[in-house]
């Protein structure tokens, strides 16, 4: 006859199995997790599913199957206990890895492994002794006199893990520390309840919920770490872009100023101011972590072109049509595109290079169009050796303001680069260091 406890147990086990399946499917599609962490959770939730399936099998066998299924119940309960202990052993192994302690030589890991072996030995005695628990010939589960002893090793494993986490809290983030503490406390409470409450299967639901909570916390930590790393990578890329100015460019500018001092002092002064403005903008961009007003980028670009026009006297011309300026973009977005055009387009053997910079409002987006009438991306160097700056700009536009960058051939020859920036980019893309 099915009683209330049997119904509660079936609900608890079914719920635990659904949680394990949900955790497994979530892990499969984790977008930013490290490979080792992802592999851990895959194995972890596979074991959890095996544990809950074994538990569900034992419940169905004991409640519904009848007296002819005592062996099935015995096997299912044994597997249920085995998988439960393997989950704790796997967690301990993962914990030692997470705290950067070598697993094979860790005394903590050895002690936990010994406790696990003691548990397995006690569990093996259930095949030939009724001291811990037994399944009668008519398929009825009964706890033995020494049943609490079986729960001592796993409880000690839980307590040791808890102490270890507290001792290692300084090497864990707040999210990791909370995740591990919650994972251990819930099963520990469930184990105590089950030890003194005959019939209710509290451990399975406690372990399942704790596992899912741990996955949520660790996944959040992984996403946070991923975006912080992305921000750092782009900061370094931007810094390198600003600092890796071509030595011959600086040399040529200084030499141009040197010769202008005698021939045209006023022009030499202006070039010096433009070059100083260019350098200042470059170095200021390194410290910026968020988007900047377009007018700042425009000023930077104009300063650069003013310097280059002195160097390439009569071979470089620039036209600006800027009716729309009320928007923001990542630093070092426009100037490197113009620099790329100059680098690949100015050639003594070719016609003078013309660069056209314009802006416009397109729906809810702002656009910057940079065109040149140089060699173009199809036949020129840009096709065979694309400038790394353009790829960097494209990635920073996407992450910092939800924007995009497209490069096409210009009608009539040359190259056309279009930057598109949404008027209201997602908040989380405006500043990555807010994660």
């Amino acid at each position: 006859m099915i009683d209330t406890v049997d119904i509660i147990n079936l609900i608890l086990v079914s719920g635990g199995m659904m949680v394990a399946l949900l955790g497994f499917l979530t892990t499969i599609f984790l977008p930013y997790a490290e490979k080792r962490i992802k592999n851990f959770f895959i194995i972890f939730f596979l074991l959890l599913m095996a544990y809950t399936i074994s538990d569900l099998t034992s419940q169905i066998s004991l409640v519904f199957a009848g007296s002819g299924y005592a062996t099935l119940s015995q096997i299912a309960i044994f597997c249920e206990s085995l998988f439960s202990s393997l989950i704790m052993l796997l967690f301990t192994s993962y914990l030692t890895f997470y705290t950067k302690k070598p697993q094979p030589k860790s005394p903590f890991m050895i002690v936990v492994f010994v406790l696990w072996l003691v548990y397995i030995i006690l569990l093996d005695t259930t095949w030939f002794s009724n001291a811990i628990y037994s399944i009668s010939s008519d398929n009825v589960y009964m706890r033995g006199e020494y049943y609490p002893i079986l729960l001592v090793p796993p409880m000690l494993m839980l307590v040791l893990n808890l102490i270890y986490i507290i001792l290692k809290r300084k090497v864990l983030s707040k999210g990791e520390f909370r995740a591990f503490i919650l994972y251990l406390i819930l099963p520990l409470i469930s184990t105590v309840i089950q030890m003194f409450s005959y019939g209710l299967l509290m451990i399975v639901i406690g372990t399942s919920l704790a596992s899912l909570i741990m996955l949520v916390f660790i996944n959040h930590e992984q996403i946070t770490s991923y975006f912080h790393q992305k921000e750092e990578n782009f900061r370094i890329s931007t810094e390198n872009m600003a600092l890796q100015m071509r030595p011959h460019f600086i040399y040529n500018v200084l030499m141009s100023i040197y010769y202008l001092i005698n021939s045209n002092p006023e022009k030499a002064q202006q070039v010096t101011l433009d070059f100083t403005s260019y350098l200042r903008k470059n170095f200021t961009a390194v410290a910026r972590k968020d988007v900047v007003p377009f007018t700042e980028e425009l000023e930077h670009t104009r300063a650069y072109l003013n310097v280059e026009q002195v160097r390439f006297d009569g071979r470089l011309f620039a036209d600006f049509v800027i009716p729309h300026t009320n928007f923001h973009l990542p630093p070092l977005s426009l100037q490197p595109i113009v620099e790329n055009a100059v680098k690949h387009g100015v050639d003594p053997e070719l016609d003078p290079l013309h660069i056209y910079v314009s802006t416009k409002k397109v729906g809810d987006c702002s656009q910057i169009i940079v065109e040149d009438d140089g060699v173009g991306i199809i036949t020129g160097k840009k096709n065979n050796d694309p400038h790394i700056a353009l790829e960097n700009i494209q990635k920073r536009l996407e992450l910092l303001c939800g924007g995009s960058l497209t490069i096409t051939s210009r009608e009539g020859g040359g190259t056309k680069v279009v930057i598109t920036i949404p008027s209201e980019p997602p908040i989380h893309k405006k500043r990555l260091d807010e994660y």
Side-chain angles (χ1 to χ4, degrees), residues 267-418:
K267 193 171 185 180
Q269 281 187 321
Q270 185 58 49
V271 173
T272 303
L273 287 175
D274 289 332
F275 189 52
T276 302
S277 177
Y278 165 76
L279 292 175
R280 177 172 54 82
K281 291 291 184 182
N282 255 42
F283 294 127
T284 301
V286 173
R288 299 299 296 266
K289 294 184 178 181
D290 52 1
V291 293
V292 299
F294 169 72
T295 51
E296 288 189 20
E297 274 294 292
L298 183 61
E299 182 183 345
H300 188 192
T301 304
R302 286 184 185 274
Y304 166 77
L305 281 172
N306 289 340
V307 172
E308 290 287 51
Q309 283 178 313
V310 172
R311 287 184 57 215
F312 301 112
D313 188 24
R315 286 185 286 147
L316 174 61
F317 300 92
D319 292 320
F320 291 86
V321 180
I322 314 294
H324 176 53
T325 60
N326 188 24
F327 60 95
H328 291 69
L329 73 169
L332 288 175
S333 294
L334 176 59
Q335 184 275 327
I337 293 175
V338 173
E339 181 178 346
N340 193 60
V342 173
K343 178 181 177 182
H344 294 289
V346 176
D347 192 323
E349 299 179 0
L350 300 175
D351 294 334
L353 179 70
H354 292 79
I355 295 177
Y356 308 92
V357 180
S358 61
T359 60
K360 62 180 179 179
K361 184 81 170 175
V362 181
D364 292 332
C365 298
S366 299
Q367 281 193 346
I368 307 169
I369 301 97
V370 180
E371 301 179 81
D372 68 73
D373 58 1
V375 292
I377 61 173
I378 302 301
T379 59
K381 296 178 182 178
K382 295 177 192 175
N383 182 47
N384 300 323
D385 184 25
H387 201 287
I388 191 171
L390 298 181
E391 297 178 6
N392 182 280
I393 293 167
Q394 186 172 16
K395 291 176 182 177
R396 287 188 294 119
L397 282 167
E398 180 181 347
L399 281 170
L400 291 177
C401 60
S404 63
L405 181 148
T406 59
I407 308 172
T408 58
S409 296
R410 178 176 175 269
E411 186 177 349
T415 304
K416 180 178 181 179
V417 179
V418 178

Side-chain angles (χ1 to χ4, degrees), residues 53-338:
I53 289 171
S54 299
D55 206 336
L56 184 62
T57 302
S58 69
Q59 291 304 303
I60 293 174
S61 177
L62 290 169
V63 176
F64 298 103
S67 58
Y69 291 87
T71 302
L72 175 62
S73 299
Q74 181 80 13
I75 293 173
I77 292 173
F78 179 85
C79 290
E80 163 195 336
S81 303
L82 175 64
F83 288 132
S84 175
S85 66
L86 285 173
I87 290 172
M88 181 53 63
L89 192 64
L90 178 66
F91 173 78
T92 303
S93 176
Y94 174 68
L95 190 59
T96 56
F97 155 73
Y98 216 89
T99 53
K100 308 297 186 293
K101 188 145 182 99
Q103 298 179 28
K105 299 180 182 179
S106 170
F108 164 67
M109 184 68 194
I110 293 173
V111 171
V112 172
F113 183 74
V114 169
L115 287 171
W116 178 78
L117 286 178
V118 172
Y119 177 78
I120 295 301
I121 292 170
L122 291 172
L123 189 61
D124 286 339
T125 64
T126 61
W127 289 101
F128 51 83
S129 171
N130 297 333
I132 294 177
Y133 69 79
S134 62
I135 307 295
S136 66
S137 57
D138 55 350
N139 197 20
V140 176
Y141 172 83
M142 293 179 292
R143 287 185 181 179
E145 182 180 358
Y146 298 103
Y147 174 79
I149 294 178
L150 181 66
L151 300 180
V152 171
M155 284 195 67
L156 288 176
M157 290 168 70
L158 282 169
V159 171
L160 284 175
N161 275 282
L162 192 60
I163 294 172
Y164 183 82
I165 290 171
I166 293 172
L167 292 176
K168 294 289 183 178
R169 64 187 182 278
K170 291 184 179 180
V171 301
L172 299 171
S173 69
K174 289 183 179 180
E176 292 164 349
F177 180 73
R178 291 169 185 167
F180 294 145
I181 288 292
L182 283 173
Y183 173 77
L184 293 174
I185 287 178
L186 287 178
L188 186 61
I189 294 173
S190 301
T191 301
V192 173
I193 293 174
Q194 185 158 324
M195 183 181 291
F196 298 101
S197 177
Y198 183 82
L200 284 178
L201 301 176
M202 297 300 299
I203 295 178
V204 61
I205 194 64
T207 302
S208 300
L209 287 176
S211 302
L212 191 60
I213 291 171
M214 181 174 66
L215 174 65
V216 170
F217 271 94
I218 296 300
N219 190 31
H220 178 267
E221 288 295 313
Q222 288 289 298
I223 292 173
T224 302
S225 175
Y226 172 82
F227 280 109
H228 275 304
Q229 187 60 50
K230 274 285 186 182
E231 180 195 11
E232 181 64 15
N233 290 344
F234 283 122
R235 186 192 66 78
I236 292 172
S237 297
T238 303
E239 187 173 311
N240 289 340
M241 195 189 323
L243 296 178
Q244 290 178 355
M245 293 177 293
R246 302 185 305 279
H248 71 271
F249 167 68
I250 299 175
Y251 171 79
N252 289 335
V253 172
L254 292 176
M255 290 304 298
S256 297
I257 295 172
Y258 174 80
Y259 287 114
L260 282 171
I261 289 174
N262 288 328
S263 62
N264 193 337
E266 290 184 3
K267 193 171 185 180
Q269 281 187 321
Q270 185 58 49
V271 173
T272 303
L273 287 175
D274 289 332
F275 189 52
T276 302
S277 177
Y278 165 76
L279 292 175
R280 177 172 54 82
K281 291 291 184 182
N282 255 42
F283 294 127
T284 301
V286 173
R288 299 299 296 266
K289 294 184 178 181
D290 52 1
V291 293
V292 299
F294 169 72
T295 51
E296 288 189 20
E297 274 294 292
L298 183 61
E299 182 183 345
H300 188 192
T301 304
R302 286 184 185 274
Y304 166 77
L305 281 172
N306 289 340
V307 172
E308 290 287 51
Q309 283 178 313
V310 172
R311 287 184 57 215
F312 301 112
D313 188 24
R315 286 185 286 147
L316 174 61
F317 300 92
D319 292 320
F320 291 86
V321 180
I322 314 294
H324 176 53
T325 60
N326 188 24
F327 60 95
H328 291 69
L329 73 169
L332 288 175
S333 294
L334 176 59
Q335 184 275 327
I337 293 175
V338 173

